[in-house]
Amino acid sequence: MSKSLDKHLFNLKFAAKQLDRNAKKCDKEEKVEKSKLKKAIQKGNMDGARIHAENSIRQKNQSLNFLRMSARVDAVASRVQSAVTMKQVTGSMAGVVKAMDSALSSMNLEKVSLCLYLARCCVCGHVTLTR
């Protein structure tokens, strides 16, 4: 399950970057259309200028749509990242609880203090336990 979430997280981040690149591409195309618009106006070609103006506006709107979608995808990626992190912390804490249970059943004070130290490290993120 964790590998699946990691794969989805990677795909979401990749999609957000791709949307950002598309937005930048549209911005460049908008600038090209604006320059064509200026040239058409200077030549007195009003029909051509109108077409270039419409293209420029369309590219600008497309760029804004790409940026908006990128922000949404990035927000979803953030939520998935939080879920992955919480899953890792939960797994670590489960390992600590099992270790504490065995230490408390034997009432070995060294084991109890070690388990408490590991629990504190797992919460802080210094140590992760594997099963």
Side-chain angles (χ1 to χ4, degrees):
M1 180 72 177
S2 180
K3 292 187 187 245
S4 174
L5 279 178
D6 288 336
K7 184 178 179 181
H8 290 304
L9 180 61
F10 173 80
N11 288 336
L12 286 169
K13 287 181 179 180
F14 182 77
K17 283 184 180 181
Q18 198 169 18
L19 289 167
D20 279 336
R21 280 193 294 267
N22 287 342
K24 288 179 184 176
K25 183 179 174 185
C26 285
D27 284 337
K28 287 181 183 178
E29 289 176 12
E30 176 199 1
K31 289 177 184 175
V32 168
E33 289 295 329
K34 280 185 180 179
S35 68
K36 289 180 182 178
L37 168 65
K38 288 178 185 176
K39 288 179 185 176
I41 289 174
Q42 288 172 350
K43 291 181 180 178
N45 181 3
M46 290 305 151
D47 289 335
R50 183 174 289 116
I51 291 170
H52 291 300
E54 289 171 0
N55 289 344
S56 176
I57 291 168
R58 186 174 48 255
Q59 290 297 335
K60 181 66 175 177
N61 288 337
Q62 190 69 24
S63 173
L64 291 174
N65 287 336
F66 279 134
L67 284 175
R68 198 173 292 121
M69 185 60 74
S70 173
R72 289 178 183 164
V73 170
D74 199 34
V76 172
S78 236
R79 289 189 200 119
V80 171
Q81 177 67 50
S82 295
V84 168
T85 304
M86 287 304 295
K87 184 175 175 95
Q88 290 171 346
V89 168
T90 302
S92 295
M93 291 304 293
V96 168
V97 167
K98 286 180 184 177
M100 283 181 70
D101 187 39
S102 66
L104 287 173
S105 66
S106 68
M107 286 308 287
N108 186 345
L109 291 178
E110 283 184 21
K111 279 187 176 180
V112 172
S113 64
L114 178 64
C115 288
L116 289 174
Y117 172 75
L118 288 175
R120 191 170 5 126
C121 290
C122 284
V123 169
C124 294
H126 298 294
V127 176
T128 57
L129 296 178
T130 57
R131 296 178 196 176

